[in-house]
């Protein structure tokens, strides 16, 4: 009889329309569409977290799209929370209490969320530890994770991994000296952990110097931080080599300490 019923489920709020056309054989000239259909968001169900470079994507399974911007140690970025229905449409009338934001960077600032406005709030985030799966120095680590808790249906939409890079615009820059027994660790206030291995007087061992930001995050070679560095030891007759330029952001050099001591200090200094 020329009539067919279709079941349509619209997931995105806003003004929508449904269009039909002949598909077999394809004939776009045989088509029709509805008038404007107003789709309202459903009941508040969850809180969606987005960070810089991400976009809200209502109607999708994840609720958001786009790559996550790399954060820089010590610089503020803003995380955004949205109260949404089950399809990630913002519910402007909702302003729930009890929402909290946190991260797993031990050196980052606590997050204080702002006030809700039309179902949305923003919060400043400051992370300080260089972390990420693609870094060469100190090597691949897990990204820092930002998490929203306290309200709504939980899920992947409540968390987001963020890669953090060293700060090349750091107002103060450091030299990070590592010897055998120590390991680079950007979550440590000193940029490293571990205990130096005891060395035998007169033996040669190696030490590595890294250019680092104010938080002792070491730079990648491609960041072109190349200070001139000299080394010294507070013991007689020590041989620590000549001044070198950290051409790739770090260098390893031999150290010779002929005098036995339990208080020898090896120091790297800019020249």
């Amino acid at each position: 009889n020329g009539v067919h019923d279709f079941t349509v489920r619209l997931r995105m709020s806003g003004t929508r329309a449904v269009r039909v056309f002949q598909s077999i054989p394809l004939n776009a000239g045989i088509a029709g569409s509805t008038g404007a259909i107003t789709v309202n968001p459903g009941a508040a169900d969850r809180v969606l977290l987005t960070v810089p470079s991400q976009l809200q994507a209502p109607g999708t399974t994840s609720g958001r799209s786009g790559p996550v911007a790399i954060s820089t140690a010590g610089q503020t970025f803003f995380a955004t929370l949205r109260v949404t229905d089950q399809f990630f449409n913002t519910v402007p009338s909702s302003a729930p209490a009890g929402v909290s934001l946190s991260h797993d960077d031990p050196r980052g600032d606590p997050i204080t969320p702002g006030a809700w406005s039309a179902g949305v709030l923003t919060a400043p985030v400051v992370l300080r530890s260089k972390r990420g799966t693609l870094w060469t120095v100190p090597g691949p680590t897990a990204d820092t994770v930002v998490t929203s808790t306290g309200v709504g249906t939980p899920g992947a939409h409540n968390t987001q991994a963020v890669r953090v890079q060293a700060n090349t615009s750091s107002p103060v820059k450091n030299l990070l000296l590592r010897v055998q027994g120590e390991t680079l660790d950007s979550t440590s206030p000193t940029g490293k952990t571990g205990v130096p291995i005891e060395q035998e007087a007169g033996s040669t061992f190696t030490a590595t110097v890294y250019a680092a930001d104010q938080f002792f995050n070491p730079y990648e070679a491609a960041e072109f931080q190349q200070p001139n560095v000299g080394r010294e030891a507070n013991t007689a007759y020590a041989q620590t080599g000549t001044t070198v330029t950290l051409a790739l952001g770090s260098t390893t050099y031999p150290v010779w300490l002929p005098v036995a001591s339990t208080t020898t200090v090896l120091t790297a200094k800019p020249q």
Side-chain angles (χ1 to χ4, degrees), residues 157-170:
H157 51 272
N158 295 133
T159 65
Q160 182 56 60
V162 178
R163 187 177 306 147
V164 182
Q165 65 187 353
N167 190 344
T168 57
S169 300
S170 182

Side-chain angles (χ1 to χ4, degrees), residues 18-30:
V18 177
R19 183 174 181 271
V20 295
F21 60 91
Q22 180 177 302
S23 59
I24 303 176
L26 178 63
N27 187 341
I30 301 177

Side-chain angles (χ1 to χ4, degrees), residues 4 12 23 34 49 81 109 123 135 143 160 181 189 209 213 228 257:
H4 186 80
M12 293 180 62
S23 59
T34 67
L49 167 66
L81 296 183
D109 289 346
W135 301 137
D143 294 345
Q160 182 56 60
V209 177
D213 67 13
N228 294 322
L257 303 175

Side-chain angles (χ1 to χ4, degrees), residues 94 104 225:
S94 184
D104 60 357
Q225 304 297 305

Side-chain angles (χ1 to χ4, degrees), residues 88-177:
F88 298 106
N89 296 293
T90 301
V91 181
S93 60
S94 184
V99 174
S100 63
L101 268 171
S102 62
H103 56 70
D104 60 357
D105 180 355
R107 295 201 288 161
D109 289 346
I111 303 176
T112 302
W116 291 104
S117 176
V120 180
L121 70 74
T122 59
V125 181
V126 179
L127 307 174
R128 294 191 172 88
S129 300
K130 177 184 177 182
R131 300 169 82 180
T133 56
L134 298 181
W135 301 137
T136 302
V137 186
T141 64
D143 294 345
T144 295
V145 177
V146 180
T147 303
S148 167
T149 57
V151 173
T153 300
H157 51 272
N158 295 133
T159 65
Q160 182 56 60
V162 178
R163 187 177 306 147
V164 182
Q165 65 187 353
N167 190 344
T168 57
S169 300
S170 182
V172 175
K173 295 184 178 179
N174 292 303
L175 294 175
L176 176 57
L177 174 65

